[in-house]
Amino acid sequence: MKLTDALPGEHAVIYELFGYVGDTAANTNDVQENHGAVSVLERLLLSHAKVEEDLLFPRLEPHRGQMGPLAVMGEEHRRLDDLLKAAKQETDAGALKSVIDQLLELAYGHFRKEDGVLFAMAQPVLDEATLTELGDERAARRKVMVYGQGCLGAA
Ligand SMILES: [Fe+2]
Ligand SMILES: [Fe+2]
């Protein structure tokens, strides 16, 4: 599977988690409960961003001239990281909800730009064989079974 097909698949799962974190913030003032939801999001979001930063962004870097959104994507990863840290440190229920709102707004926008612009731009820049090789690397990291290729990375 090409990396540019696998990453939107990860997005689909994380969109569900965005919904859960947003619902939790809307439904409870319990700081611990909101921190718990944010912690799950942090775990998934950071591991997803690391796959992008390790496998995709460096391959696009030489084409930066054609890849204006690349710098924006990297900068948004930093800002998401900062907002996750801020949310975990916030102890006031109202202020925490406000940080979570900012976090989710940025995260939704970021995912939409990747889905709608970055991954589409990556397709003609990186050839099919490269995208498939990168997709296999992602599968090995995630220890997922790829049909017809055995269980990569689980040996
Ligand atoms: Fe990203
Ligand atoms: Fe992403």
Side-chain angles (χ1 to χ4, degrees):
M1 180 189 284
K2 292 190 290 184
L3 183 63
T4 42
D5 291 331
L7 290 173
E10 293 198 2
H11 281 188
V13 174
I14 303 174
Y15 277 124
E16 284 297 321
L17 190 53
F18 290 159
Y20 168 73
V21 172
D23 287 349
T24 304
N27 294 331
T28 179
N29 287 321
D30 187 303
V31 168
Q32 268 195 330
E33 209 174 312
N34 279 298
H35 278 167
V38 168
S39 290
V40 176
L41 180 60
E42 179 184 43
R43 176 82 178 246
L44 217 55
L45 212 48
L46 293 186
S47 106
H48 172 76
K50 186 153 173 53
V51 168
E52 290 176 343
E53 289 183 9
D54 289 353
L55 301 184
L56 183 63
F57 292 3
R59 299 295 188 109
L60 296 177
E61 189 62 39
H63 309 278
R64 185 180 267 268
Q66 303 152 251
M67 300 293 305
L70 189 59
V72 177
M73 296 301 102
E75 170 57 24
E76 287 182 351
H77 282 189
R78 306 286 94 69
R79 284 169 54 209
L80 287 168
D81 207 13
D82 289 346
L83 284 167
L84 285 162
K85 285 193 185 108
K88 280 171 52 185
Q89 284 165 9
E90 187 55 67
T91 54
D92 176 80
L96 175 56
K97 284 186 186 212
S98 158
V99 176
I100 290 172
D101 282 350
Q102 292 173 57
L103 172 63
L104 291 178
E105 194 184 332
L106 178 62
Y108 272 119
H110 177 79
F111 272 39
R112 287 202 192 99
K113 273 179 257 173
E114 288 181 340
D115 285 334
V117 181
L118 189 78
F119 300 152
M121 287 178 85
Q123 302 262 6
V125 168
L126 302 174
D127 60 42
E128 182 128 359
T130 303
L131 287 169
T132 301
E133 177 198 316
L134 292 170
D136 289 347
E137 271 189 63
R138 183 208 73 102
R141 277 183 185 223
R142 296 289 199 208
K143 296 187 169 44
V144 294
M145 181 82 82
V146 177
Y147 183 73
Q149 294 179 24
C151 190
L152 293 169

